[in-house]
């Protein structure tokens, strides 16, 4: 799958997860449509998509046996690496470790992994 399509799979899973798991009304930046998503964010989404696909491929799809938390953690770590790539001094919330992430984001990250599995 071309990276742009993978990035869109990631973004759609993010949007769906935020709408499902975020308590209350999410910030507008959390639910920005694809057409308005900044280029760096599109690139980061495509890169994380590719990393998850590679994990699945290299494990012979046995990475699908990871726990839901492990799947979410993998997405979160890949995203954090992208934040360091795209920002010299990223906001602390952009690079927070798993225990510091809000539950809605943990659930959304796990949903992203599972959406990529199914793509």
């Amino acid at each position: 799958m071309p990276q742009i399509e993978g990035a869109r799979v990631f973004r759609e899973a993010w949007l769906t997860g935020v709408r499902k798991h975020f308590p209350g009304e999410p910030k507008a930046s959390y639910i920005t449509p694809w057409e308005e998503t900044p280029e760096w964010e599109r690139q980061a989404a495509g890169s994380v998509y590719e990393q998850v696909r590679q994990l699945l491929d290299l494990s012979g799809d046995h990475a699908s046996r990871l726990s839901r938390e492990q799947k979410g953690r993998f997405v979160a770590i890949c995203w954090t690496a992208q934040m360091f790539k795209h920002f010299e001094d990223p906001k602390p919330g952009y690079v927070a470790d798993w225990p510091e992430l809000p539950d809605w984001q943990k659930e959304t990250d796990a949903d992203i992994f599972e959406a990529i599995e199914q793509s």
Side-chain angles (χ1 to χ4, degrees):
M1 174 180 297
Q3 191 171 20
I4 189 84
E5 291 175 34
R8 288 185 77 122
V9 167
F10 178 102
R11 185 66 182 173
E12 289 304 315
W14 168 262
L15 293 171
T16 300
V18 169
R19 289 183 181 114
K20 179 178 179 182
H21 302 292
F22 191 88
E25 187 66 31
K27 292 194 272 184
S29 63
Y30 290 170
I31 54 172
T32 301
W34 176 257
E35 297 74 25
E36 298 171 29
T37 301
E39 185 57 32
W40 71 263
E41 196 168 352
R42 291 179 186 204
Q43 290 175 10
S47 293
V48 175
Y49 174 91
E50 288 299 322
Q51 289 175 293
V52 173
R53 281 281 7 127
Q54 287 176 3
L55 177 67
L56 290 163
D57 293 345
L58 292 172
S59 73
D61 283 329
H62 291 286
S64 63
R65 296 170 58 191
L66 294 171
S67 70
R68 185 164 166 79
E69 180 177 327
Q70 289 169 325
K71 291 173 180 182
R73 280 180 182 260
F74 187 78
V75 169
I77 289 169
C78 293
W79 186 259
T80 297
Q82 289 298 308
M83 295 306 92
F84 284 121
K85 175 183 176 184
H86 290 279
F87 298 99
E88 184 64 32
D89 188 23
K91 295 178 186 178
Y94 285 7
V95 294
D97 200 10
W98 184 258
E100 286 79 44
L101 294 178
D103 289 341
W104 70 265
Q105 191 169 346
K106 291 176 182 179
E107 292 297 324
T108 298
D109 286 349
D111 288 353
I112 290 168
F113 190 106
E114 291 173 352
I116 294 169
E117 277 182 294
Q118 297 167 11
S119 69

